[in-house]
Amino acid sequence: MADEHSGKRRRLRRIARAGLVLAGGLTLVTAGANIAMWTLSSGHRSDVAAAPNAPVVIIPGARVAPDGTPMAYLRGRLDVAIELVDAGKVGEILLSGDAGGSSGDEIASMTRYLHDNGIDPAIVRSDGAGLSTRETCERARSMFGIDRAIIVSQYQHLPRAVALCRAAGIEADGVVAYCECRQVTEARNNVREWLAAPKAVAEMILR
């Protein structure tokens, strides 16, 4: 009986050690991927005041409220796009998001918001099939012929967005978007971005 218990303890210790090794490996991979995103986008992130001029600003979609209005993350991106247009730093806006998303039509929501805030509809183009950051960047290049752009997003997401757009062949600079967000929202998005980095690195390697 003692031998049986001793064997079980040994097996449990081996499983625990294997779990620790796996967790450590995943942590290293994730940390390395995040460092890569920040390194690849280094020198290409700024606020509105320091943003360079570009032909177009790309606005990735995000959740919309039940009434169809942009929620805080999306509103912050749109407000920065408006500032860039008003400052004469961009001449066109590309909206890229999910036109059939679970939270609503991101493209319709963004379009209404821009129009309601004085943006000329003639300078707005849209892509309702930009279902991920990678697709947003790749479709901006392949479908819209964009090779130079500013992309706007919150600070957590911006390094990945810039890196993926540059990997897609766009000479991209990123501008940090505003966010009047709850702390829990910011924490959730920090975790989301931390975990999304390895996939982004894999996509860049395999493209």
Side-chain angles (χ1 to χ4, degrees):
M1 192 70 173
D3 288 343
E4 182 180 347
H5 286 308
S6 177
K8 286 182 179 179
R9 286 196 295 270
R10 285 195 298 271
R11 286 194 296 273
L12 288 172
R13 284 197 293 269
R14 285 197 297 269
I15 291 170
R17 283 196 296 269
L20 287 172
V21 170
L22 178 60
L26 290 174
T27 299
L28 285 174
V29 168
T30 303
N34 277 274
I35 290 170
M37 293 295 99
W38 283 84
T39 301
L40 289 169
S41 63
S42 178
H44 300 289
R45 303 186 308 270
S46 70
D47 58 15
V48 173
N53 289 359
V56 60
V57 56
I58 301 171
I59 308 299
R63 288 181 60 84
V64 301
D67 64 358
T69 58
M71 294 183 73
Y73 255 59
L74 188 52
R75 189 168 62 250
R77 296 174 186 180
L78 294 165
D79 286 342
V80 167
I82 292 167
E83 288 188 23
L84 290 168
V85 171
D86 289 345
K89 295 196 171 189
V90 298
E92 188 176 51
I93 298 173
L94 174 63
L95 306 176
S96 181
D98 189 349
S102 59
S103 69
D105 187 337
E106 295 171 1
I107 298 299
S109 177
M110 290 191 280
T111 301
R112 282 193 302 270
Y113 187 86
L114 291 176
H115 292 179
D116 290 347
N117 283 274
I119 294 297
D120 181 357
I123 70 166
V124 179
R125 292 194 287 173
S126 60
D127 176 12
L131 307 185
S132 67
T133 305
R134 177 182 61 82
E135 288 172 312
T136 286
C137 294
E138 291 183 350
R139 289 173 63 84
R141 184 72 183 94
S142 63
M143 302 290 290
F144 294 87
I146 294 171
D147 58 12
R148 171 82 182 94
I150 289 172
I151 187 163
V152 173
S153 193
Q154 280 70 25
Y155 75 94
Q156 306 99 325
H157 177 232
L158 196 60
R160 182 164 63 95
V162 171
L164 285 169
C165 275
R166 296 186 77 84
I170 299 173
E171 187 184 342
D173 288 284
V175 173
V176 180
Y178 308 122
C179 185
E180 297 176 359
C181 304
R182 296 178 302 165
Q183 288 187 340
V184 65
T185 302
E186 295 231 31
R188 183 176 63 245
N189 282 284
N190 280 330
V191 171
R192 178 180 180 275
E193 283 304 318
W194 176 262
L195 297 176
K199 180 184 176 184
V201 170
E203 289 171 342
M204 292 167 64
I205 292 170
L206 298 174
R207 58 172 281 106

Coordinates of all heavy atoms in Angstrom, one line a residue, residues 93-172:
I93 N -10.3 58.6 -44.9 CA -10.5 57.7 -43.8 C -10.9 56.3 -44.4 O -11.8 56.3 -45.2 CB -11.5 58.2 -42.8 CG1 -11.1 59.5 -42.2 CG2 -11.8 57.2 -41.8 CD1 -12.2 60.2 -41.4
L94 N -10.3 55.3 -44.0 CA -10.7 53.9 -44.3 C -11.3 53.3 -43.0 O -10.5 53.1 -42.0 CB -9.6 53.0 -44.8 CG -10.0 51.6 -45.1 CD1 -11.1 51.4 -46.1 CD2 -8.7 50.8 -45.5
L95 N -12.6 53.0 -43.0 CA -13.2 52.2 -41.9 C -13.1 50.8 -42.2 O -13.5 50.3 -43.2 CB -14.6 52.7 -41.7 CG -14.9 54.2 -41.6 CD1 -16.4 54.5 -41.5 CD2 -14.2 54.7 -40.3
S96 N -12.6 50.0 -41.2 CA -12.4 48.6 -41.4 C -13.0 47.8 -40.2 O -12.5 48.0 -39.1 CB -11.0 48.2 -41.7 OG -10.8 46.8 -42.0
G97 N -14.0 47.0 -40.4 CA -14.6 46.3 -39.3 C -15.5 45.2 -39.7 O -15.6 44.9 -40.9
D98 N -16.3 44.8 -38.8 CA -17.3 43.7 -39.1 C -18.7 44.3 -39.3 O -19.3 44.8 -38.4 CB -17.3 42.7 -37.9 CG -18.1 41.5 -38.2 OD1 -18.8 41.4 -39.2 OD2 -18.0 40.5 -37.4
A99 N -19.1 44.3 -40.5 CA -20.4 44.9 -40.9 C -21.6 44.0 -40.4 O -22.7 44.4 -40.3 CB -20.6 45.1 -42.4
G100 N -21.3 42.8 -40.0 CA -22.3 41.9 -39.4 C -21.9 41.3 -38.1 O -22.2 40.2 -37.8
G101 N -21.3 42.1 -37.3 CA -20.8 41.7 -36.0 C -21.9 41.4 -35.0 O -23.0 41.8 -35.1
S102 N -21.5 40.6 -34.0 CA -22.5 40.2 -33.0 C -23.1 41.4 -32.2 O -24.2 41.3 -31.6 CB -21.9 39.2 -32.0 OG -20.8 39.7 -31.4
S103 N -22.2 42.4 -32.1 CA -22.7 43.6 -31.3 C -23.4 44.6 -32.2 O -23.9 45.7 -31.7 CB -21.5 44.3 -30.6 OG -20.6 44.9 -31.5
G104 N -23.4 44.4 -33.5 CA -24.0 45.3 -34.4 C -23.1 45.6 -35.6 O -21.9 45.1 -35.7
D105 N -23.5 46.5 -36.5 CA -22.8 46.8 -37.7 C -21.8 47.9 -37.4 O -22.1 49.1 -37.2 CB -23.8 47.3 -38.8 CG -23.1 47.6 -40.1 OD1 -21.9 47.8 -40.2 OD2 -23.9 47.5 -41.2
E106 N -20.5 47.5 -37.3 CA -19.5 48.5 -36.9 C -19.3 49.5 -37.9 O -19.1 50.7 -37.6 CB -18.1 47.7 -36.7 CG -18.2 46.7 -35.5 CD -17.0 45.8 -35.4 OE1 -16.0 46.0 -36.3 OE2 -16.9 45.0 -34.5
I107 N -19.4 49.2 -39.2 CA -19.2 50.1 -40.3 C -20.3 51.2 -40.3 O -20.0 52.4 -40.4 CB -19.1 49.4 -41.7 CG1 -18.0 48.4 -41.7 CG2 -19.0 50.4 -42.8 CD1 -16.6 49.1 -41.6
A108 N -21.5 50.8 -40.1 CA -22.6 51.7 -40.1 C -22.5 52.7 -38.9 O -22.7 53.9 -39.0 CB -23.9 51.0 -40.0
S109 N -22.1 52.1 -37.8 CA -21.9 52.9 -36.6 C -20.8 54.0 -36.7 O -21.0 55.1 -36.4 CB -21.6 52.0 -35.4 OG -21.4 52.8 -34.2
M110 N -19.7 53.5 -37.3 CA -18.6 54.5 -37.5 C -18.9 55.5 -38.5 O -18.6 56.7 -38.3 CB -17.3 53.7 -37.9 CG -16.7 52.8 -36.9 SD -15.1 52.2 -37.3 CE -15.5 50.8 -38.4
T111 N -19.6 55.1 -39.6 CA -20.0 56.1 -40.6 C -20.9 57.2 -40.1 O -20.7 58.3 -40.4 CB -20.7 55.3 -41.8 OG1 -19.8 54.3 -42.3 CG2 -21.0 56.3 -42.9
R112 N -21.9 56.7 -39.4 CA -22.9 57.7 -38.8 C -22.1 58.7 -37.9 O -22.4 59.9 -37.9 CB -24.0 57.0 -38.0 CG -25.1 56.4 -38.9 CD -26.3 56.0 -38.0 NE -25.9 55.1 -37.0 CZ -26.0 53.8 -37.1 NH1 -26.3 53.2 -38.3 NH2 -25.6 53.0 -36.1
Y113 N -21.3 58.2 -37.0 CA -20.5 59.0 -36.1 C -19.7 60.1 -36.8 O -19.7 61.2 -36.4 CB -19.7 58.1 -35.2 CG -19.0 58.9 -34.0 CD1 -19.7 59.1 -32.8 CD2 -17.7 59.4 -34.2 CE1 -19.1 59.7 -31.8 CE2 -17.2 60.1 -33.1 CZ -17.9 60.3 -31.9 OH -17.3 61.0 -30.9
L114 N -19.0 59.6 -37.8 CA -18.2 60.6 -38.6 C -19.0 61.7 -39.3 O -18.7 62.8 -39.2 CB -17.3 59.8 -39.6 CG -16.2 58.9 -39.1 CD1 -15.5 58.2 -40.2 CD2 -15.2 59.7 -38.3
H115 N -20.1 61.2 -39.9 CA -21.0 62.2 -40.6 C -21.6 63.2 -39.6 O -21.6 64.4 -39.8 CB -22.1 61.4 -41.3 CG -21.5 60.6 -42.5 ND1 -22.4 59.9 -43.3 CD2 -20.3 60.5 -43.0 CE1 -21.6 59.3 -44.2 NE2 -20.4 59.6 -44.0
D116 N -22.0 62.6 -38.4 CA -22.6 63.5 -37.4 C -21.6 64.5 -36.8 O -22.0 65.5 -36.2 CB -23.2 62.7 -36.2 CG -24.4 61.9 -36.6 OD1 -25.0 62.2 -37.7 OD2 -24.8 61.0 -35.9
N117 N -20.3 64.2 -37.0 CA -19.3 65.1 -36.5 C -18.5 65.9 -37.6 O -17.4 66.3 -37.4 CB -18.3 64.3 -35.6 CG -18.8 63.9 -34.2 OD1 -18.7 64.7 -33.3 ND2 -19.4 62.8 -34.1
G118 N -19.2 66.0 -38.7 CA -18.8 67.0 -39.7 C -17.8 66.5 -40.7 O -17.2 67.2 -41.5
I119 N -17.6 65.1 -40.8 CA -16.7 64.6 -41.8 C -17.4 64.4 -43.1 O -18.5 63.9 -43.2 CB -16.1 63.2 -41.3 CG1 -15.2 63.4 -40.1 CG2 -15.3 62.6 -42.4 CD1 -14.0 64.3 -40.3
D120 N -16.8 64.9 -44.2 CA -17.3 64.8 -45.5 C -17.4 63.4 -45.9 O -16.4 62.7 -46.0 CB -16.4 65.6 -46.5 CG -16.9 65.6 -47.9 OD1 -18.0 65.0 -48.2 OD2 -16.3 66.3 -48.7
P121 N -18.6 62.9 -46.3 CA -18.8 61.5 -46.7 C -17.9 61.1 -47.9 O -17.5 59.9 -48.1 CB -20.2 61.3 -47.1 CG -20.9 62.4 -46.3 CD -19.9 63.6 -46.2
A122 N -17.5 62.1 -48.7 CA -16.7 61.8 -49.9 C -15.3 61.3 -49.5 O -14.6 60.7 -50.4 CB -16.6 63.1 -50.7
I123 N -14.8 61.6 -48.3 CA -13.4 61.1 -48.0 C -13.5 59.8 -47.2 O -12.4 59.4 -46.7 CB -12.7 62.2 -47.2 CG1 -13.2 62.4 -45.8 CG2 -12.7 63.5 -48.0 CD1 -12.3 63.2 -44.9
V124 N -14.6 59.2 -47.0 CA -14.7 58.0 -46.2 C -15.0 56.8 -47.1 O -15.9 56.8 -47.9 CB -15.9 58.1 -45.2 CG1 -16.0 56.9 -44.4 CG2 -15.7 59.3 -44.3
R125 N -14.1 55.8 -46.9 CA -14.3 54.5 -47.6 C -14.4 53.5 -46.5 O -14.0 53.7 -45.3 CB -13.1 54.2 -48.5 CG -13.0 55.1 -49.7 CD -12.0 54.5 -50.7 NE -10.6 54.6 -50.3 CZ -9.6 54.0 -51.0 NH1 -9.9 53.3 -52.1 NH2 -8.4 54.1 -50.5
S126 N -15.0 52.3 -46.8 CA -15.2 51.3 -45.8 C -15.0 49.9 -46.3 O -15.2 49.6 -47.5 CB -16.7 51.5 -45.2 OG -17.6 51.3 -46.2
D127 N -14.6 49.1 -45.4 CA -14.4 47.6 -45.6 C -15.1 46.9 -44.5 O -14.7 46.8 -43.4 CB -12.9 47.3 -45.6 CG -12.7 45.8 -45.8 OD1 -13.6 45.1 -46.1 OD2 -11.5 45.4 -45.6
G128 N -16.3 46.3 -44.9 CA -17.1 45.6 -43.9 C -16.6 44.2 -43.6 O -17.2 43.4 -42.9
A129 N -15.4 43.8 -44.2 CA -14.9 42.4 -44.0 C -13.6 42.4 -43.3 O -12.8 41.5 -43.4 CB -14.8 41.7 -45.3
G130 N -13.3 43.5 -42.6 CA -12.0 43.6 -41.8 C -12.3 43.0 -40.5 O -12.4 43.6 -39.5
L131 N -12.3 41.6 -40.4 CA -12.7 40.9 -39.2 C -11.6 40.7 -38.2 O -11.9 40.2 -37.1 CB -13.3 39.5 -39.6 CG -14.4 39.5 -40.7 CD1 -14.9 38.1 -40.9 CD2 -15.5 40.5 -40.4
S132 N -10.4 41.1 -38.5 CA -9.3 41.0 -37.6 C -8.3 42.1 -38.0 O -8.4 42.6 -39.1 CB -8.6 39.6 -37.6 OG -8.0 39.4 -38.9
T133 N -7.4 42.3 -37.1 CA -6.3 43.3 -37.4 C -5.5 42.9 -38.6 O -5.2 43.7 -39.5 CB -5.4 43.5 -36.2 OG1 -6.1 43.8 -35.0 CG2 -4.4 44.6 -36.4
R134 N -5.2 41.6 -38.7 CA -4.4 41.2 -39.9 C -5.2 41.4 -41.1 O -4.7 41.9 -42.1 CB -4.1 39.7 -39.7 CG -3.4 39.1 -40.9 CD -3.1 37.6 -40.8 NE -4.3 36.8 -40.6 CZ -5.1 36.4 -41.6 NH1 -4.8 36.7 -42.9 NH2 -6.2 35.7 -41.4
E135 N -6.5 41.0 -41.1 CA -7.3 41.2 -42.3 C -7.5 42.7 -42.7 O -7.5 43.0 -43.8 CB -8.7 40.5 -42.1 CG -8.6 39.0 -42.1 CD -9.9 38.3 -41.7 OE1 -10.5 38.7 -40.7 OE2 -10.3 37.4 -42.5
T136 N -7.7 43.5 -41.7 CA -7.8 44.9 -41.9 C -6.6 45.4 -42.7 O -6.7 46.2 -43.7 CB -7.9 45.7 -40.6 OG1 -9.2 45.5 -40.0 CG2 -7.7 47.2 -40.7
C137 N -5.4 45.1 -42.2 CA -4.2 45.5 -42.9 C -4.0 44.9 -44.3 O -3.7 45.6 -45.2 CB -3.0 45.2 -42.0 SG -2.9 46.1 -40.4
E138 N -4.2 43.6 -44.4 CA -4.0 43.0 -45.7 C -5.0 43.4 -46.7 O -4.7 43.6 -47.9 CB -4.0 41.5 -45.5 CG -2.8 40.9 -44.7 CD -2.8 39.4 -44.6 OE1 -3.8 38.8 -44.9 OE2 -1.8 38.9 -44.1
R139 N -6.2 43.6 -46.3 CA -7.3 44.1 -47.2 C -7.0 45.6 -47.6 O -7.3 46.0 -48.7 CB -8.6 43.9 -46.6 CG -9.0 42.4 -46.6 CD -10.4 42.2 -45.9 NE -11.5 42.8 -46.5 CZ -12.2 42.3 -47.6 NH1 -11.8 41.1 -48.0 NH2 -13.1 43.0 -48.1
A140 N -6.5 46.3 -46.7 CA -6.2 47.7 -47.0 C -5.2 47.8 -48.1 O -5.3 48.7 -49.0 CB -5.7 48.5 -45.8
R141 N -4.3 46.9 -48.1 CA -3.2 46.8 -49.1 C -3.7 46.2 -50.4 O -3.5 46.8 -51.5 CB -2.0 46.0 -48.6 CG -0.8 46.0 -49.6 CD -0.1 47.4 -49.6 NE 1.0 47.4 -50.5 CZ 0.9 47.8 -51.8 NH1 -0.3 48.3 -52.2 NH2 1.9 47.8 -52.6
S142 N -4.4 45.1 -50.3 CA -4.8 44.4 -51.5 C -6.0 44.9 -52.2 O -6.1 44.9 -53.4 CB -4.9 42.9 -51.2 OG -6.0 42.6 -50.3
M143 N -7.0 45.3 -51.4 CA -8.3 45.7 -51.9 C -8.4 47.2 -52.2 O -9.1 47.6 -53.1 CB -9.4 45.3 -50.9 CG -9.5 43.8 -50.6 SD -10.1 42.8 -52.0 CE -11.8 43.3 -52.1
F144 N -7.6 48.0 -51.4 CA -7.7 49.4 -51.5 C -6.4 50.1 -52.0 O -6.4 51.3 -52.2 CB -8.1 50.0 -50.2 CG -9.5 49.7 -49.8 CD1 -9.7 48.5 -49.0 CD2 -10.6 50.4 -50.1 CE1 -11.0 48.1 -48.6 CE2 -11.9 50.1 -49.7 CZ -12.1 48.9 -49.0
G145 N -5.4 49.3 -52.2 CA -4.2 49.8 -52.8 C -3.4 50.7 -51.9 O -2.6 51.5 -52.4
I146 N -3.6 50.6 -50.6 CA -3.0 51.6 -49.7 C -1.6 51.1 -49.4 O -1.4 49.9 -48.9 CB -3.8 51.7 -48.4 CG1 -5.2 52.3 -48.7 CG2 -3.1 52.4 -47.3 CD1 -6.1 52.3 -47.5
D147 N -0.6 52.0 -49.5 CA 0.8 51.6 -49.2 C 1.4 52.6 -48.2 O 2.6 52.4 -47.8 CB 1.6 51.5 -50.5 CG 1.7 52.8 -51.3 OD1 1.2 53.9 -50.8 OD2 2.1 52.8 -52.5
R148 N 0.7 53.6 -47.8 CA 1.2 54.5 -46.8 C -0.1 55.0 -46.0 O -1.1 55.4 -46.5 CB 1.8 55.7 -47.5 CG 2.2 56.9 -46.5 CD 3.5 56.6 -45.8 NE 3.8 57.7 -44.8 CZ 3.5 57.6 -43.5 NH1 2.9 56.6 -43.0 NH2 3.8 58.6 -42.7
A149 N 0.0 54.8 -44.7 CA -1.2 55.1 -43.8 C -0.8 55.4 -42.4 O 0.3 55.0 -41.9 CB -2.2 54.0 -43.9
I150 N -1.7 56.0 -41.7 CA -1.7 56.0 -40.3 C -2.8 55.0 -39.8 O -3.9 55.0 -40.4 CB -2.1 57.4 -39.7 CG1 -0.9 58.4 -40.0 CG2 -2.4 57.4 -38.2 CD1 -1.2 59.8 -39.7
I151 N -2.5 54.3 -38.8 CA -3.6 53.4 -38.2 C -3.8 53.9 -36.7 O -2.8 54.2 -36.0 CB -3.2 51.9 -38.3 CG1 -4.4 51.1 -37.8 CG2 -1.9 51.6 -37.5 CD1 -4.3 49.6 -38.2
V152 N -5.0 54.0 -36.3 CA -5.3 54.5 -35.0 C -5.9 53.4 -34.1 O -6.9 52.7 -34.5 CB -6.4 55.7 -35.1 CG1 -6.8 56.1 -33.7 CG2 -5.7 56.8 -35.9
S153 N -5.4 53.3 -32.9 CA -6.0 52.4 -32.0 C -5.4 52.7 -30.6 O -4.5 53.5 -30.4 CB -5.6 50.9 -32.3 OG -6.4 50.0 -31.5
Q154 N -6.0 52.0 -29.5 CA -5.5 52.3 -28.2 C -4.1 51.7 -28.0 O -3.7 50.9 -28.7 CB -6.5 51.7 -27.2 CG -7.7 52.5 -26.9 CD -8.7 52.6 -28.1 OE1 -8.7 51.7 -28.9 NE2 -9.5 53.6 -28.1
Y155 N -3.5 52.2 -26.9 CA -2.0 51.9 -26.8 C -1.8 50.4 -26.6 O -0.7 49.9 -27.1 CB -1.5 52.6 -25.5 CG -1.9 52.0 -24.2 CD1 -1.1 51.1 -23.6 CD2 -3.1 52.4 -23.6 CE1 -1.5 50.5 -22.4 CE2 -3.5 51.8 -22.4 CZ -2.6 50.9 -21.8 OH -3.0 50.3 -20.6
Q156 N -2.7 49.6 -26.1 CA -2.5 48.2 -25.9 C -2.4 47.5 -27.3 O -1.6 46.6 -27.5 CB -3.6 47.5 -25.1 CG -3.9 48.1 -23.8 CD -5.1 49.1 -23.8 OE1 -5.3 49.7 -24.8 NE2 -5.8 49.1 -22.7
H157 N -3.3 47.9 -28.2 CA -3.4 47.3 -29.5 C -2.5 47.9 -30.6 O -2.2 47.2 -31.6 CB -4.9 47.4 -29.9 CG -5.2 46.9 -31.3 ND1 -5.8 47.6 -32.3 CD2 -5.0 45.7 -31.8 CE1 -6.0 46.9 -33.4 NE2 -5.5 45.7 -33.1
L158 N -2.0 49.1 -30.3 CA -1.3 49.8 -31.4 C 0.0 49.1 -31.9 O 0.2 49.1 -33.1 CB -1.0 51.2 -31.0 CG -0.7 52.2 -32.1 CD1 -1.8 52.4 -33.1 CD2 -0.3 53.6 -31.5
P159 N 0.8 48.6 -31.0 CA 2.0 48.0 -31.5 C 1.7 46.8 -32.5 O 2.4 46.6 -33.5 CB 2.7 47.5 -30.2 CG 2.3 48.4 -29.2 CD 0.8 48.7 -29.5
R160 N 0.7 46.0 -32.1 CA 0.4 44.9 -33.0 C -0.2 45.4 -34.3 O 0.1 44.8 -35.4 CB -0.6 43.9 -32.3 CG -1.0 42.7 -33.1 CD -1.7 41.7 -32.2 NE -2.9 42.1 -31.5 CZ -4.1 41.9 -32.0 NH1 -4.3 41.2 -33.2 NH2 -5.2 42.3 -31.4
A161 N -1.1 46.4 -34.2 CA -1.7 46.9 -35.5 C -0.6 47.5 -36.4 O -0.6 47.2 -37.6 CB -2.7 48.0 -35.1
V162 N 0.3 48.2 -35.9 CA 1.4 48.8 -36.7 C 2.3 47.7 -37.3 O 2.6 47.7 -38.5 CB 2.3 49.8 -35.9 CG1 3.5 50.2 -36.7 CG2 1.4 51.0 -35.5
A163 N 2.7 46.7 -36.5 CA 3.5 45.7 -37.0 C 2.8 44.9 -38.1 O 3.5 44.5 -39.1 CB 3.9 44.8 -35.8
L164 N 1.6 44.5 -37.9 CA 0.9 43.7 -38.9 C 0.7 44.5 -40.2 O 0.8 44.0 -41.3 CB -0.5 43.3 -38.4 CG -0.4 42.1 -37.3 CD1 -1.8 41.9 -36.7 CD2 0.1 40.8 -38.0
C165 N 0.4 45.8 -40.1 CA 0.2 46.6 -41.3 C 1.5 46.8 -42.0 O 1.6 46.7 -43.3 CB -0.3 48.0 -41.0 SG -2.1 48.0 -40.8
R166 N 2.6 46.9 -41.3 CA 3.9 47.0 -42.0 C 4.3 45.7 -42.6 O 4.9 45.7 -43.7 CB 5.0 47.5 -41.0 CG 4.7 48.9 -40.5 CD 5.8 49.5 -39.6 NE 7.0 49.9 -40.4 CZ 7.1 51.1 -41.0 NH1 6.1 52.0 -40.9 NH2 8.2 51.4 -41.7
A167 N 3.9 44.6 -42.0 CA 4.2 43.3 -42.5 C 3.4 43.0 -43.8 O 3.8 42.3 -44.7 CB 3.9 42.2 -41.5
A168 N 2.2 43.7 -43.9 CA 1.3 43.6 -45.1 C 1.8 44.5 -46.2 O 1.1 44.4 -47.3 CB -0.1 43.9 -44.7
G169 N 2.8 45.2 -46.0 CA 3.3 46.1 -47.1 C 2.9 47.5 -47.1 O 3.1 48.2 -48.0
I170 N 2.4 47.9 -45.9 CA 1.9 49.3 -45.8 C 3.0 50.0 -44.9 O 3.3 49.5 -43.8 CB 0.6 49.4 -45.1 CG1 -0.5 48.7 -45.9 CG2 0.2 50.8 -44.8 CD1 -1.9 48.6 -45.2
E171 N 3.4 51.2 -45.4 CA 4.3 52.0 -44.6 C 3.4 52.7 -43.5 O 2.9 53.8 -43.8 CB 5.0 53.0 -45.5 CG 6.1 53.8 -44.8 CD 6.7 54.9 -45.6 OE1 6.6 54.8 -46.9 OE2 7.3 55.8 -45.1
A172 N 3.3 52.0 -42.4 CA 2.3 52.5 -41.4 C 2.9 53.1 -40.2 O 3.9 52.7 -39.7 CB 1.4 51.3 -41.0

